[in-house]
């Protein structure tokens, strides 16, 4: 057994309380024990000790919603929005997702990996140890597969856990304009089957919105995912209320994401199903939205709330999960403790990962040590990175 002890730490417990001095014993990549340092089991008396000198120790962070792999950028659309163009207007005029599709289709797998690595490195530098990466900028079979292959390669190039999500139902490409059903039949669903056969998919997502896919069309995607025994999630209620969150919950979705226009029915359905609400304040900020997700209602209903960057080239070109935490507090009125839970334990749940997201025996030793006085500082500071060190599956990273 390869073991070591992180000692002299202030441990963030699952309750949010901080215990000091605390210690964590790590063995073979997992947390073997965690608790008050005075109670460290004698089994670890001879193990190597790494003193954290009073630093805060938390689970490593989890970014549970990103579009990290893509070609090109959309800086011009940023300028257009500042001049008054809406997200929908830009999309209908050939910009938006479709413009990224053109750049992504033109990129090789090596190109996609090379472009994604700096974005991934920025997240890792802030204590992230698990990242979800979606496809959805290919919108043809081969490019969707190429995106997922690139995402898998990132996990081999960096010390990080990567989960991949198939998002073929992200937009209708120009060659299928007005023929969304045909696109699903001829591209999205066949691509999903091919990606699953190649072992490239951990979950299935879709964009339920007037500029994307209807609830009935999303239901077809979910049915195919169910046939392949894959969990589902959904971009829902971002720009309007189509009942997507309730649809997702009825299908046992891991999460429903965005949720600015979520109604009481959707909240109740998510609470009953245990579906996580993933809040994405970066897109809210970039689009200058004014309708906020119903956080008070979600809180009252006991719906777990995760926070993610939604890193993407058009509506959330953000590679800072710490900034997403601050935005979730500032714009959506999460407490700092809720924001931290949102990028750890609830983010893990949004990905269906039961082996990480907390400091507890038996979980993967994904940990982060911080130069902060209290946990609230992680959400409080803007543009400041207090990470001291992180460990991924017990290895310093």
């Amino acid at each position: 057994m390869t073991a070591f002890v992180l000692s002299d730490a202030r441990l963030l417990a699952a309750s949010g309380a901080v215990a000091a001095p605390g210690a964590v014993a790590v063995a073979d990549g997992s947390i073997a024990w965690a608790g008050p340092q005075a109670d460290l089991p004698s089994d670890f008396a001879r193990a190597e000790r790494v003193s954290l000198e009073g630093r805060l120790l938390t689970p490593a962070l989890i970014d549970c919603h990103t579009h990290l792999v893509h070609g090109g950028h959309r800086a011009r659309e940023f300028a257009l929005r500042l001049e008054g163009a809406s997200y929908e207007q830009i999309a209908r005029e050939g910009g938006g997702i479709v413009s990224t599709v053109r750049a992504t289709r033109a990129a090789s797998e090596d190109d996609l990996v090379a472009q994604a690595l700096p974005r991934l490195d920025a997240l890792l530098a802030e204590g992230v140890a698990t990242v979800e990466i979606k496809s959805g900028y290919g919108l043809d079979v081969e490019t969707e597969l190429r995106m997922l292959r690139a995402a898998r390669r990132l996990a081999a190039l960096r010390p990080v856990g990567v989960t991949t999500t198939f998002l073929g139902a992200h937009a209708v490409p120009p060659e299928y304009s007005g023929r969304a059903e045909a696109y699903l039949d001829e591209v999205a669903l066949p691509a999903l089957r091919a990606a699953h056969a190649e072992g490239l998919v951990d979950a299935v997502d879709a964009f339920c919105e007037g500029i994307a896919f209807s609830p009935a069309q999303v239901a077809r995607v979910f049915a195919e995912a169910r046939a392949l025994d894959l969990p589902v999630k959904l971009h829902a209620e971002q720009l309007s209320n189509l009942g997507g969150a309730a649809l997702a919950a009825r299908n046992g979705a891991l999460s429903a994401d965005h949720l600015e226009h979520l109604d009481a029915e959707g909240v109740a359905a998510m609470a009953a199903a245990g579906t996580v609400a993933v809040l994405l304040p970066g897109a809210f900020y970039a689009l200058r939205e004014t309708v906020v997700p119903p956080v008070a209602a979600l809180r009252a209903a006991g719906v777990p709330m995760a926070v993610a960057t939604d890193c993407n080239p058009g509506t959330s070109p953000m590679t800072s999960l710490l900034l997403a935490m601050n935005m979730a507090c500032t714009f959506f009125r999460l407490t700092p403790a809720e924001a931290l839970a949102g990028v750890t334990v609830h983010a893990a749940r949004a990905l269906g990962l039961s082996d990480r997201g907390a400091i507890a025996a038996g979980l993967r030793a994904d940990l982060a040590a911080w130069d902060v006085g209290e946990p609230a500082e992680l959400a409080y500071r803007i543009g400041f990175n207090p990470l001291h060190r992180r460990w991924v599956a017990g290895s310093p990273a």
Side-chain angles (χ1 to χ4, degrees):
M1 178 177 70
T2 302
F4 65 92
V5 174
L6 299 175
S7 63
D8 307 307
R10 286 177 296 123
L11 295 186
L12 181 74
S15 65
V18 176
V24 174
V26 176
D28 297 330
S30 296
I31 298 171
W33 179 89
Q37 189 160 308
D39 297 337
L40 181 70
S42 59
D43 294 355
F44 301 101
R46 295 179 180 275
E48 176 192 359
R49 288 206 181 195
V50 178
S51 174
L52 294 182
E53 301 176 330
R55 292 182 174 89
L56 178 70
L57 187 68
T58 73
L61 307 188
I62 299 169
D63 196 347
C64 65
H65 182 132
T66 86
H67 305 256
L68 206 66
V69 170
H70 60 79
H73 63 82
R74 279 153 52 190
R76 174 57 183 154
E77 291 175 23
F78 172 68
L80 289 174
R81 287 200 302 274
L82 293 177
E83 294 167 6
S86 70
Y87 180 59
E88 294 94 330
Q89 178 185 346
I90 290 170
R92 295 189 189 283
E93 293 178 358
I97 291 170
V98 173
S99 67
T100 299
V101 169
R102 289 193 295 269
T104 304
R105 286 178 176 177
S108 69
E109 185 179 318
D110 287 344
D111 291 335
L112 293 175
V113 170
Q115 291 182 53
L117 276 173
R119 296 187 280 267
L120 177 61
D121 286 341
L123 292 172
L124 304 191
E126 289 191 349
V128 171
T130 300
V131 178
E132 183 256 19
I133 301 176
K134 303 178 190 294
S135 70
Y137 289 129
L139 308 186
D140 62 35
V141 174
E142 182 48 44
T143 314
E144 288 293 301
L145 295 176
R146 188 159 68 245
M147 291 184 69
L148 293 168
R149 292 184 195 117
R152 290 286 203 224
R153 281 178 57 187
L154 293 174
L157 294 171
R158 294 292 187 270
V160 64
V162 172
T163 70
T164 53
T165 299
F166 178 82
L167 183 55
H170 196 193
V172 179
E175 63 268 28
Y176 280 91
S177 180
R179 298 187 298 131
E181 294 287 348
Y183 169 72
L184 292 178
D185 288 333
E186 298 171 16
V187 178
L189 299 183
L192 172 56
R193 297 181 198 113
H196 177 262
E198 199 173 321
L200 295 173
V201 187
D202 297 314
V204 177
D205 197 351
F207 187 16
C208 187
E209 193 55 72
I211 60 172
F213 294 91
S214 70
Q217 290 161 345
V218 168
R220 293 188 58 200
V221 176
F222 283 177
E224 187 65 34
R226 187 164 52 249
L228 297 172
D229 198 27
L230 290 169
V232 298
K233 55 185 66 181
L234 189 64
H235 287 61
E237 273 74 270
Q238 180 184 9
L239 306 173
S240 62
N241 181 10
L242 296 185
L247 170 66
R250 289 195 299 272
N251 282 269
L254 293 172
S255 71
D257 304 29
H258 287 290
L259 304 176
E260 280 86 340
H261 293 268
L262 180 67
D263 60 14
E265 179 184 353
V267 172
M270 292 176 66
T275 297
V276 177
V278 178
L279 306 181
L280 304 171
F284 175 90
Y285 167 82
L287 294 175
R288 302 171 71 189
E289 295 287 355
T290 56
V291 178
V292 300
V295 165
L298 291 165
R299 185 185 290 130
V303 176
M305 292 180 285
V307 176
T309 62
D310 191 18
C311 176
N312 75 74
T315 62
S316 188
M318 179 167 67
T319 53
S320 172
L321 193 54
L322 294 177
L323 178 56
M325 291 170 64
N326 177 274
M327 288 180 169
C329 295
T330 302
F331 294 140
F332 299 161
R333 292 298 186 259
L334 263 64
T335 67
E338 286 174 330
L340 184 51
V343 297
T344 54
V345 61
H346 296 326
R349 182 171 173 178
L351 296 178
L353 298 175
S354 59
D355 66 342
R356 68 199 72 181
I359 298 178
L363 298 189
R364 199 166 104 140
D366 287 357
L367 301 163
W370 307 91
D371 289 311
V372 297
E374 59 181 280
E377 284 189 65
L378 298 179
Y380 152 75
R381 296 191 181 277
I382 302 172
F384 177 74
N385 181 5
L387 182 71
H388 170 69
R389 196 173 185 183
R390 73 183 180 112
W391 293 261
V392 179
S395 296

